[in-house]
Amino acid sequence: MLKSTMLRPLLSRRIAGRISRRGASANDNGIRRNVHIEKKIEGLGMELPTAPLPKANYNIVCLPPGENVMYVSGHLPIKADGELITGTLGPDNGGMTVEEGYDAARHCGLNIIATLKKQLGDLDRVEQVVKVFGIVSSHTDFKHQHLVMDGCSDVIMEVFDKPVGYHARSAIGTNTLPLNAPVEVEAIVKIKPE
């Protein structure tokens, strides 16, 4: 018969094995974390860009102390290679097409996800993408900002799925955006406690 002190190490190894098989890993501090969303991103063949830095005097995110809602500043469409997509929507005036705008908004979404990963250390801490707000640089006769913003919404849903990724959304047009970006997207995200 095994004594209880002999069972503890055996049970600890079994539990650790189960956690490891379920997709947990240790970060640089030796703290265990889940990696389900990171594995999903990898499985989808997506490449997250390097999390962007602010382009002026503001914080890339704001998470007030003691709260669980993160406010994510506007993100531009920066590709994984660091190239910023530029332009204005409105193919009738020589501008970008809806498809090109959709791709730009998708890159905004990937940048938001990269920022969440950098800030949280673990994308499984995202409890709910609450709201996404998109601004589309467009000619006055362009009326499909909502279709452009589907690029961001679709990538968030691909990564986080329902119910976590299913969010409220607004999309508006404007005559110009910083750095000649075609799209800028900000988000409000509910975070699970550590």
Side-chain angles (χ1 to χ4, degrees), residues 80-183:
D81 65 4
E83 177 191 353
L84 172 67
I85 299 171
T86 59
T88 301
L89 275 290
D92 293 343
N93 294 308
M96 298 171 75
T97 64
V98 170
E99 293 77 16
E100 291 169 322
Y102 176 99
D103 184 58
R106 186 174 178 85
H107 283 286
C108 291
L110 289 169
N111 278 274
I112 288 171
I113 294 166
T115 292
L116 290 171
K117 182 177 179 184
K118 181 178 180 181
Q119 295 294 319
L120 300 172
D122 183 354
L123 287 171
D124 287 290
R125 287 194 57 212
V126 173
E127 185 172 327
Q128 175 72 56
V129 178
V130 178
K131 184 168 184 182
V132 171
F133 178 68
I135 308 161
V136 180
S137 178
S138 46
H139 293 283
T140 55
D141 62 345
F142 183 78
K143 308 298 181 197
H144 301 292
Q145 290 83 0
H146 61 294
L147 299 177
V148 168
M149 275 302 297
D150 278 347
C152 181
S153 292
D154 288 352
V155 76
I156 288 171
M157 285 299 296
E158 287 170 31
V159 169
F160 294 106
D161 213 349
K162 282 186 181 181
V164 176
Y166 206 48
H167 52 273
R169 188 185 85 187
S170 297
I172 65 167
T174 189
N175 63 333
T176 188
L177 282 170
L179 306 175
N180 195 31
V183 187

